[in-house]
Amino acid sequence: MSERTNKLPIYAVIFTVIFKLLFLLTHHIQEDAFITWRVAQNLMDYGVIGFNGDTKISASTTHLYVFVSYLFNIIFGKECFIEPLLIFNSILFTIGSLLLSHLLFKNPWHKAIFIFLFGILPPSIKISILGMEYGILFFLEMALLYYGLKKEKKWALIVLPILILFTRIDTVIFLGIVFLVDVFWNKKIRWSYIAGGVLGVSIALAFNWFYFGEWVNNTIVAKKLLYDKNFTFSQDVEYFITNYGNFWGMLKLPGNFNPFTIIVLIFELVCFIFLIRQKEKRNYFLWMIFLFGWAKQLIFLSQKSLFDWYYWVPQILLFVPVLVFVLEQKVKRNIWLFLLIIIYILPMTIFQTIHSIATGNGEWNYRRSIGTSLNFYEKDKSQWILLEPAGYVPYFSGLKTIDEVGLVDKQIQNEIKKDKKNYWINTVKNRKPKYLLSYNDLFKGKDAEYYKTHYRLLEEFRIKDHLKSENTILEKIYRLKPSGTDYNLYVRIK
């Protein structure tokens, strides 16, 4: 095989990264990314990992990504770091897919096609471009499988679990599944891997305890406190039926029944069973990624975790057997590949493109405008705003922030514990934030008189005002899938 053929996977990485960079034009960036970036900038400005001045708080779910974002802010500046960081995330994710291809294929052509098709699936695009920590995380996890288990490098078995757990503590699920499959497959224990896992958990927990005075991230505590619900068995079943389609199918459709997801799920299972019946070394890694995909989805769904980014990595890993199955067909492979691209890959990419354009408009053009408007209006950045969510508006306004969930401000959690039903109005009365940003009309309802007495409506923000464009196609997309929520902004008068 020629040297040029052997380099095909590298060429595929470069081409895939360049292709996905087109999505930067959509400005589709996840709200929570701006929480992490504000924490990073708070570290720059105050020398403290926090969100509001010199108050320490683990407002971001990821510590490692905070430090990476901090470095990019230092290197490129606050005004210019976002695009380089998104490109960096995309490169890391695609290198991770290169490492995964080395675990699954021998043929360079198969590797190259896999890298591109895998890289343009909706979750892959979101991991790469939306600004979250999953690009780094996916790279680290695939590096662990490749260097730690395939190449059997002891340094990888020790160092990479530490970095993985310092990125997200819930990666114990991934590390645990990998450990169990490795033990059952090889009938031995890798003590270096045990050491890496123990060190990873110890360092993550110790950092939280000695820096923040808590064992787990505040984000986990806050979400559990506000979203905690007691369900009966029948309610659990109904909840699952309502939400499963958002996670396994890569495609969010309205309604409780999503047959498309069921078809994809069954095909993934059939392909996986077909592949593991063959005696191939790569089955070792297929078991790992497939079991992890199922375990992560079921555990998080059972905990009522509806944030879709939790499911991005499991979604794409569960689809891996389909790509392997199609690429390794010896009879009519081109027909199989053509059908896969036409029936699934291409429609999914088109769907993600439309989704990113629409959501980018609703987030970047609309929600960001609320923050920039406040930034222009209020020059005193020591003033407080109460709102939800804590991403775009706090980042672009620069104001101190109380969010409804308590991700970036712990004091509101005490109000939730005391009186969950009335915690919002109690926070307003006790802390008197200068600004309130609400989905609702606060001048209507049981507390209307208090709001009318102490606040005035400063501005109404309406998503319908942002569904226009000089480009006819863009306007049709904005109206086809409007993204955003109407807000009312209030300012305190006394």
Side-chain angles (χ1 to χ4, degrees), residues 237-296:
V237 172
E238 182 182 356
Y239 182 92
F240 175 79
I241 292 173
T242 302
N243 292 289
Y244 82 98
N246 291 342
F247 309 129
W248 276 284
M250 303 185 193
L251 182 65
K252 290 186 176 183
L253 295 175
N256 294 350
F257 183 68
N258 187 346
F260 182 80
T261 292
I262 295 176
I263 293 171
V264 173
L265 178 62
I266 292 173
F267 194 47
E268 288 173 348
L269 284 168
V270 169
C271 290
F272 176 72
I273 292 170
F274 176 85
L275 291 174
I276 61 172
R277 287 169 62 88
Q278 303 172 356
K279 293 183 179 180
E280 296 282 350
K281 291 182 179 179
R282 56 100 193 281
N283 290 352
Y284 171 53
F285 297 106
L286 277 178
W287 274 106
M288 288 178 181
I289 62 177
F290 203 73
L291 288 180
F292 162 68
W294 272 94
K296 175 71 180 286

Side-chain angles (χ1 to χ4, degrees), residues 28-58:
H28 183 193
I29 301 175
Q30 182 64 43
E31 180 92 29
D32 282 46
F34 286 97
I35 297 180
T36 299
W37 295 341
R38 169 139 165 180
V39 171
Q41 292 178 356
N42 198 83
L43 179 59
M44 289 176 62
D45 297 337
Y46 297 94
V48 169
I49 299 176
F51 199 88
N52 295 311
D54 59 1
T55 302
K56 294 180 180 180
I57 186 171
S58 52

Side-chain angles (χ1 to χ4, degrees), residues 137-284:
L137 185 60
F138 184 79
F139 166 76
L140 292 173
E141 290 175 338
M142 295 306 106
L144 173 66
L145 298 185
Y146 182 76
Y147 291 107
L149 301 181
K150 183 178 177 64
K151 297 296 185 180
E152 298 187 332
K153 304 291 185 181
K154 287 190 175 181
W155 66 264
L157 293 173
I158 295 173
V159 173
L160 292 175
I162 296 172
L163 295 176
I164 289 169
L165 285 160
F166 204 62
T167 305
R168 288 189 66 94
I169 194 68
D170 57 41
T171 51
V172 293
I173 300 171
F174 174 80
L175 296 173
I177 293 294
V178 169
F179 173 76
L180 291 174
V181 172
D182 182 57
V183 170
F184 278 102
W185 189 276
N186 293 308
K187 304 298 188 295
K188 66 177 183 179
I189 295 176
R190 298 179 193 265
W191 293 106
S192 298
Y193 187 53
I194 295 283
V198 171
L199 283 171
V201 172
S202 300
I203 290 173
L205 294 181
F207 181 80
N208 278 343
W209 179 254
F210 288 109
Y211 193 84
F212 299 109
E214 57 195 16
W215 289 113
V216 296
N217 292 30
N218 173 69
T219 51
I220 299 173
V221 175
K223 290 175 183 176
K224 183 69 176 175
L225 179 63
L226 187 65
Y227 300 140
D228 190 27
K229 296 178 180 179
N230 294 317
F231 281 67
T232 64
F233 178 75
S234 61
Q235 287 174 321
D236 277 326
V237 172
E238 182 182 356
Y239 182 92
F240 175 79
I241 292 173
T242 302
N243 292 289
Y244 82 98
N246 291 342
F247 309 129
W248 276 284
M250 303 185 193
L251 182 65
K252 290 186 176 183
L253 295 175
N256 294 350
F257 183 68
N258 187 346
F260 182 80
T261 292
I262 295 176
I263 293 171
V264 173
L265 178 62
I266 292 173
F267 194 47
E268 288 173 348
L269 284 168
V270 169
C271 290
F272 176 72
I273 292 170
F274 176 85
L275 291 174
I276 61 172
R277 287 169 62 88
Q278 303 172 356
K279 293 183 179 180
E280 296 282 350
K281 291 182 179 179
R282 56 100 193 281
N283 290 352
Y284 171 53

Side-chain angles (χ1 to χ4, degrees), residues 20 58 128 144 223 328 331 340 392 426:
K20 286 198 287 191
S58 52
S128 300
L144 173 66
K223 290 175 183 176
E328 292 194 347
V331 179
L340 177 66
Y392 277 86
N426 291 340

Side-chain angles (χ1 to χ4, degrees), residues 466-480:
H466 288 262
L467 301 181
K468 301 174 183 177
S469 173
E470 294 180 358
N471 186 301
T472 306
I473 296 176
L474 289 181
E475 183 165 327
K476 287 182 178 179
I477 291 174
Y478 295 161
R479 295 185 179 279
L480 173 69

